[in-house]
Amino acid sequence: MNYDFAAIEKKWQDNWEKTKPYRAVTGDPRPKFYGLIEFPYPSAQGLHVGHPRPFTAIDIVTRKKRMEGYNVLFPIGYDAFGLPTENYAIKNHIHPAIVTRDNIANFTRQLKMLGYGFDWDRCVNTSDPEYYKWTQWIFLQLFKHDMAYKATMAVNWCTSCKVVLANEEVVNGVCERCGGEVVQKEKSQWMLRITKYAQRLIDDLDDLDYIERVKVQQKNWIGRSTGADITFKTNMGEDVTVYTTRADTLFGTTYMVISPEHPLLKKWLPQIPNRAEVEAYQAEAARKSDFERGELNKDKTGVRLEGVEVINPVTHKPLPMFVSDYVLMGYGTGIVMGVPGHDQRDWEFATKFGLPIIEVVAGGDVTKEAFVAKDDSAVMVNSGFLNGMTVREAIPAMKKYVVEQGFGKEKVNYKLRDWVFSRQRYWGEPIPLVNCQKCGWVPIPEDQLPLVLPEVEAYEPTDDGESPLARMTDWVNTTCPCCGGPAKRETDTMPNWAGSSWYFLRYMDPDNDKELVSREAEEYWGPVDWYNGGMEHTTLHLLYSRFWHKFLYDIGVVHTKEPYAKRTSHGMILGENPYYVGNAKTEAEKEELVRLHGSLALRPSVKMSKSLGNVVNPDDVVKEFGADTLRLYIMFIGDFEKTATWSTNAVRGCKKFLDRCWNLMELAADSDEISAKNESIIHKTIKKVTGDIDELKMNTAIAALMALVNAFYANGLTKGDLSMLMLMLSPFAPHMVEEMWELTGFAAKKGKMAMQMAWPAYDEAKTIDANVEMAVQVNGKLKGTINVPVDSDEQTVMEAVKAVEKVHKAMDGMAIVKTILVKNKLINLIVKPAK
RNA sequence: GCCGGUGUGGUGGAAUGGUAGACACAGGAGACUUAAAAUCUCCCGGUAGUAAUACCGUACCGGUUCGAGUCCGGUCACCGGCACCA
């Protein structure tokens, strides 16, 4: 008989709604455990089948923690500001707040449908004024501590969204969200000084329990490099400074390059004879997007600055200077020393412009390509006092020299740029500042927060790149909080990363109207013990929130340097590819698929999308199989960290397993004792499941539970045996287990739900069998197995080996030269032909 | 180009240096049934063989080891991140 999942799941969800077994209690004497999943963006499409993967995993971890006696905080909320909602609102003429409200209601229904143990009383919504009041408050603190500043600079501009993007939001030269073209545009923007925290963001990773690839990716993104700033004299009245990581190659410098955007260039222009040519080049460079600049990198372009001479400080020879867009204004000093012998880009440039190439590190052929040694043991040549040194010795020697001679200093640089923090859109937190002609930028007094997002007629951004709020003249024109004179409000809003940078703190104390979080709550719950989220947020949300947290630590709001003690990451859920060539039956069909769909046809699985018709809706899955089955399947699907492909057939297998569990109730003998037959496998399973959940190896934990159920069918079982299965299965399939717990009478007997019971303990001694099966090998080849008492010595094992017929065959005419015994595992006989 | 990761049956995937393929899906056979579904039992890497069995087998080449899917060196393929960062 199959169980009626629809009725059972509804019954227990209603029960939990009323009895609130997932309530977290601040200050409770039990040890605390704070488990966190990335709160969803409430899109109009509803929950994607990918969401339940991380949600279920951490739900299982926190359910087990509760059973282990922890006071668990497992909260949920909504990251509700953002462009898709705004775009949807524009298209359908509905206010974004209403769209958001409806989407949140739908998400909430779906999350409750899946039976997650969230403490719903702590639910937050970043677009709620009571919430964003504190987002604005944090921004004001950043402003007051000179961590926020307004700067006019070239920024990434999405031509489709008509909005500024942070560096982190530009992917392959296009907009991360819409795939639209990104161009460089000069705009005045609010910036946050994340670069001030670059070193700490690297250093503090060491003490965190993050999966390694997250640490590596963050470190690469921050991109620390050590080198030196070196100053060159010029004939223009001003010196120029370059940054280099290869100070050792200074003798090989044969020219200089300046970025087209460099301010010095503007200053020098009137004195440059070929000014018109240079200006034309600058204009051309400005027109190119970053993407185009990168695409065209095979072909170096540039213009010589006629009349400009730069003196190499070690050779004292004059060097020509060029302007070229291969030098970036945003990194180092915006000026580079050209060392064509040992940098491939410089080599290409020098070759194109006929500049001399000097070999200063021996080992390559600089007439053919730049020689960039793989290790630093290559030897210096043509380099004065460095000659004969290895690169390893020459770098510090030259650094020391430039410092002593007064034309250089050691320098550390980062690829990380300051965070572009303003967006010209409506659906975001208003920036709580006003601009006064007399006082400049003035913060709104904190007691006037939140600065509520006003109602507007139209949400569309303007073509000139102003926020929709700019049209609200009533709202824009205000008075200066400082002098009372006329002032204008900032009309840009914050990026959607703002509200998510600190939401985990609000969960600790969600109703506090005096502080963003009370000291008491923060000290009790902080830091988050386990945070799981997507790899795509590694250099966005995860980095941003670490930065904000460090700032809040510095100003005394939080007591830990880091927000999250542990970070894990889940793989994506893909759909089956309907056009996969593997599905074709004939060669002709295969060819047709490849002809029609190209490389798409070669992948067995692809991202789910409407156009491919392979989207799986959690509502449908729950309707057909139940929430417990969906939970179980999404955990059984494979290695948690790896990409996995949805398979509806495999879902059926999980449903079958739950039915088999359910049907055990009829077979179980009426005894609360653990049966002798099943004792060993029960203890082994507890050990396995306990360890696997802690390591997020849910697939093997479930496999162990399946094996246990198979054993119950083979051996028979008692209700006591079944209760052990129920307790272990409870985090995975909470609805069905509670129903079974009640039907088997345990709920009445214990006066508790299964989820409130103690997690079963195992006895190590009982996980060890009296007898073990050992492999018998001859010269490393398996010949058979023997069954011997556990921990048998060599003599006993050898006695048992005599019974293995294949060993006799293999030993024919052979003599044993060595035996290798691995206790309880195998015995390996090394033999040689007997003389 | 640089940095990370992955590669195991028809499929998803298991294996602290120690019996490769646990647990499932799909497939096959059988039991029950008037029948189907459901359920239960058994088989299921390849080649040869009726079988016992033998040989081969964890992307490829080599090495270390009594023993390698696992460790080391190299190659190839795919996935993710970064990319004119001096």
Side-chain angles (χ1 to χ4, degrees):
Chain A
M1 201 191 74
N2 297 347
Y3 78 105
D4 180 3
F5 56 81
I8 290 170
E9 286 172 5
K10 169 97 177 44
K11 169 183 164 182
W12 289 100
Q13 282 163 19
D14 289 350
N15 176 309
W16 301 333
E17 191 84 38
K18 275 192 222 100
T19 63
K20 298 189 190 235
Y22 311 117
R23 218 164 56 90
V25 187
T26 302
D28 189 280
R30 286 172 296 167
K32 67 97 182 179
F33 183 85
Y34 186 174
L36 185 66
I37 43 123
E38 287 177 336
F39 62 166
Y41 177 77
S43 69
Q45 290 80 37
L47 212 61
H48 181 268
V49 81
H51 283 116
R53 196 181 203 188
F55 293 5
T56 308
I58 301 300
D59 189 46
I60 290 167
V61 167
T62 51
R63 280 172 181 275
K64 173 165 166 281
K65 286 281 177 191
R66 273 194 210 98
M67 292 173 80
E68 288 173 334
Y70 286 84
N71 179 29
V72 166
L73 173 56
F74 184 42
I76 185 70
Y78 297 101
D79 188 13
F81 274 132
L83 272 178
T85 298
E86 183 169 332
N87 290 339
Y88 184 90
I90 290 168
K91 207 172 157 193
N92 298 288
H93 306 287
I94 309 171
H95 194 283
I98 295 177
V99 176
T100 300
R101 189 199 61 200
D102 292 349
N103 290 349
I104 284 180
N106 188 39
F107 265 72
T108 301
R109 175 189 64 78
Q110 290 185 301
L111 291 171
K112 288 187 174 174
M113 165 186 90
L114 291 168
Y116 294 127
F118 295 129
D119 183 350
W120 284 97
D121 292 344
R122 292 172 184 259
C123 190
V124 303
N125 165 359
T126 57
S127 68
D128 180 346
E130 287 308 306
Y131 181 92
Y132 69 67
K133 171 181 175 175
W134 299 107
T135 311
Q136 291 174 331
W137 182 87
I138 296 170
F139 179 83
L140 286 186
Q141 308 315 307
L142 286 161
F143 178 78
K144 287 172 187 173
H145 287 83
D146 191 35
M147 290 295 295
Y149 62 98
K150 197 152 198 187
T152 299
M153 57 182 304
V155 292
N156 304 302
W157 173 261
C158 173
T159 51
S160 162
C161 300
K162 293 174 185 163
V163 70
V164 161
L165 301 176
N167 256 358
E168 290 82 352
E169 293 171 309
V170 181
V171 176
N172 293 328
V174 299
C175 174
E176 179 214 30
R177 285 202 173 277
C178 73
E181 190 194 0
V182 174
V183 297
Q184 298 297 298
K185 193 163 177 163
E186 286 268 321
K187 277 198 70 73
S188 177
Q189 300 292 323
W190 284 102
M191 308 286 293
L192 298 186
R193 294 190 204 276
I194 190 172
T195 51
K196 248 187 140 172
Y197 284 78
Q199 192 61 49
R200 284 166 66 187
L201 287 167
I202 294 173
D203 292 344
D204 293 346
L205 282 173
D206 290 344
D207 300 326
L208 295 174
D209 182 15
Y210 283 18
I211 51 170
E212 202 52 32
R213 56 197 174 123
V214 168
K215 289 190 183 184
V216 169
Q217 218 166 293
Q218 286 209 346
K219 277 185 194 165
N220 286 348
W221 182 260
I222 296 167
R224 180 192 151 102
S225 76
T226 54
D229 274 351
I230 298 176
T231 300
F232 292 63
K233 294 212 176 312
T234 74
N235 63 346
M236 302 296 287
E238 270 147 312
D239 297 344
V240 295
T241 299
V242 304
Y243 171 72
T244 180
T245 55
R246 292 295 303 276
D248 57 308
T249 62
L250 188 51
F251 283 96
T253 304
T254 57
Y255 67 100
M256 303 289 279
V257 205
I258 189 166
S259 164
E261 294 91 17
H262 203 290
L264 199 56
L265 196 54
K266 205 172 185 180
K267 197 168 166 194
W268 285 358
L269 269 176
Q271 303 160 60
I272 293 174
N274 60 337
R275 171 180 183 167
E277 201 188 348
V278 173
E279 281 180 325
Y281 185 81
Q282 285 178 299
E284 195 191 327
R287 262 205 316 277
K288 289 187 204 168
S289 66
D290 258 9
F291 186 62
E292 283 176 294
R293 279 198 188 186
E295 276 297 280
L296 300 169
N297 69 12
K298 301 135 226 152
D299 197 20
K300 295 278 178 291
T301 59
V303 173
R304 180 165 178 174
L305 306 180
E306 280 172 21
V308 177
E309 263 185 15
V310 181
I311 306 301
N312 185 326
V314 287
T315 64
H316 307 291
K317 284 188 184 144
L319 306 173
M321 190 155 187
F322 291 78
V323 56
S324 174
D325 64 5
Y326 85 87
V327 176
L328 307 173
M329 190 54 229
Y331 185 78
T333 63
I335 305 175
V336 164
M337 63 183 211
V339 186
H342 305 283
D343 181 288
Q344 190 55 30
R345 295 154 301 179
D346 295 347
W347 189 91
E348 283 161 17
F349 189 86
T351 305
K352 180 159 177 186
F353 287 86
L355 297 160
I357 299 171
I358 302 173
E359 177 184 59
V360 290
V361 181
D365 180 357
V366 298
T367 63
K368 292 207 174 69
E369 61 176 358
F371 173 61
V372 186
K374 283 174 196 73
D375 59 58
D376 53 8
S377 60
V379 177
M380 306 302 298
V381 292
N382 300 322
S383 293
F385 72 97
L386 298 178
N387 284 339
M389 289 185 191
T390 62
V391 169
R392 180 168 47 244
E393 295 157 347
I395 292 175
M398 182 56 95
K399 280 187 189 170
K400 188 161 172 259
Y401 181 79
V402 299
V403 171
E404 281 169 3
Q405 298 297 308
F407 59 86
K409 60 172 199 277
E410 299 217 24
K411 173 84 184 184
V412 173
N413 261 322
Y414 303 91
K415 290 183 194 171
L416 186 71
R417 310 292 160 83
D418 275 343
W419 176 6
V420 181
F421 197 69
S422 30
R423 299 290 183 277
Q424 296 68 45
R425 298 298 297 233
Y426 174 74
W427 193 232
E429 300 89 346
I431 291 175
L433 295 174
V434 301
N435 192 280
C436 169
Q437 289 210 326
K438 249 199 285 178
C439 314
W441 285 105
V442 179
I444 286 172
E446 287 176 15
D447 59 13
Q448 290 177 26
L449 296 179
L451 171 60
V452 177
L453 194 55
E455 297 285 325
V456 295
E457 297 279 309
Y459 319 112
E460 286 86 348
T462 62
D463 286 331
D464 59 0
E466 285 296 321
S467 160
L469 293 179
R471 287 189 289 245
M472 298 277 304
T473 46
D474 293 358
W475 185 78
V476 171
N477 293 314
T478 183
T479 52
C480 173
C482 200
C483 70
K488 283 182 187 302
R489 290 190 194 278
E490 172 58 64
T491 58
D492 285 357
T493 54
M494 298 187 203
N496 62 317
W497 310 107
S500 60
S501 289
W502 70 280
Y503 74 113
F504 54 93
L505 293 172
R506 192 62 182 169
Y507 284 144
M508 298 171 182
D509 193 9
D511 301 318
N512 193 329
D513 58 1
K514 306 277 186 302
E515 302 162 279
L516 70 92
V517 59
S518 75
R519 191 79 205 180
E520 181 209 353
E522 192 277 327
E523 283 182 356
Y524 181 81
W525 289 114
V528 172
D529 294 288
W530 191 334
Y531 189 22
N532 186 84
M535 280 307 290
E536 71 276 18
H537 291 133
T538 301
T539 54
L540 288 159
H541 158 68
L542 191 66
L543 193 65
Y544 293 152
S545 61
R546 288 185 62 219
F547 159 50
W548 273 35
H549 195 84
K550 286 184 179 304
F551 170 72
L552 292 173
Y553 173 78
D554 289 347
I555 65 167
V557 174
V558 298
H559 82 288
T560 61
K561 285 185 197 168
E562 286 284 338
Y564 321 115
K566 176 178 176 131
R567 171 81 176 187
T568 52
S569 218
H570 55 273
M572 239 197 310
I573 301 290
L574 300 179
E576 282 161 352
N577 180 3
Y579 306 127
Y580 179 48
V581 289
N583 302 334
K585 288 183 187 68
T586 64
E587 282 303 313
E589 273 179 48
K590 274 185 195 172
E591 277 168 32
E592 184 69 1
L593 283 171
V594 174
R595 193 181 63 78
L596 287 173
H597 305 288
S599 63
L600 170 67
L602 302 176
R603 302 156 176 249
S605 46
V606 285
K607 260 191 181 175
M608 290 185 185
S609 73
K610 276 184 201 156
S611 58
L612 290 173
N614 61 353
V615 177
V616 176
N617 183 337
D619 284 337
D620 298 338
V621 179
V622 169
K623 203 169 174 196
E624 190 175 354
F625 301 102
D628 285 333
T629 298
L630 172 56
R631 294 170 58 105
L632 198 75
Y633 171 64
I634 203 73
M635 292 293 95
F636 190 59
I637 197 167
D639 186 329
F640 184 71
E641 287 197 10
K642 284 194 202 139
T643 307
T645 308
W646 184 272
S647 156
T648 300
N649 264 333
V651 178
R652 271 185 205 106
C654 289
K655 174 65 169 55
K656 200 163 108 181
F657 167 66
L658 289 179
D659 284 333
R660 274 165 71 80
C661 293
W662 178 263
N663 294 337
L664 281 172
M665 284 193 292
E666 280 181 26
L667 302 176
D670 198 10
S671 159
D672 287 359
E673 299 298 310
I674 304 290
S675 68
K677 264 186 189 167
N678 290 321
E679 186 175 50
S680 166
I681 188 166
I682 286 172
H683 283 265
K684 281 181 193 163
T685 307
I686 295 171
K687 183 178 180 178
K688 174 78 178 151
V689 172
T690 304
D692 280 356
I693 291 177
D694 292 337
E695 290 170 60
L696 242 35
K697 288 160 85 174
M698 305 302 184
N699 53 337
T700 49
I702 293 166
L705 292 172
M706 287 174 168
L708 181 65
V709 169
N710 291 344
F712 285 169
Y713 272 93
N715 298 343
L717 79 164
T718 64
K719 280 192 180 167
D721 296 345
L722 184 57
S723 75
M724 290 293 119
L725 172 68
M726 288 191 276
L727 294 179
M728 283 189 276
L729 191 60
S730 161
F732 295 87
H735 311 87
M736 187 191 78
V737 165
E738 290 309 338
E739 186 68 15
M740 287 173 68
W741 190 252
E742 195 173 83
L743 289 173
T744 49
F746 286 103
K749 241 178 279 177
K750 305 285 182 186
K752 283 178 182 175
M753 285 189 279
M755 69 163 83
Q756 292 165 321
M757 298 292 294
W759 182 253
Y762 63 90
D763 181 348
E764 185 69 43
K766 288 178 179 163
T767 65
I768 298 163
D769 296 313
N771 283 287
V772 287
E773 196 175 69
M774 286 179 64
V776 181
Q777 298 180 339
V778 175
N779 285 347
K781 287 212 165 193
L782 183 69
K783 293 297 168 191
T785 58
I786 51 174
N787 199 279
V788 291
V790 76
D791 292 336
S792 291
D793 58 14
E794 191 172 323
Q795 208 182 345
T796 318
V797 171
M798 284 306 285
E799 199 59 36
V801 165
K802 285 179 185 165
V804 182
E805 206 173 306
K806 280 205 228 170
V807 173
H808 291 291
K809 259 195 203 169
M811 297 276 295
D812 192 32
M814 299 288 195
I816 296 177
V817 291
K818 194 177 175 187
T819 59
I820 289 150
L821 177 76
V822 182
K823 264 197 181 170
N824 304 326
K825 289 280 181 189
L826 60 72
I827 183 155
N828 189 6
L829 308 176
I830 313 303
V831 300
K832 260 189 185 168
K835 274 170 225 157

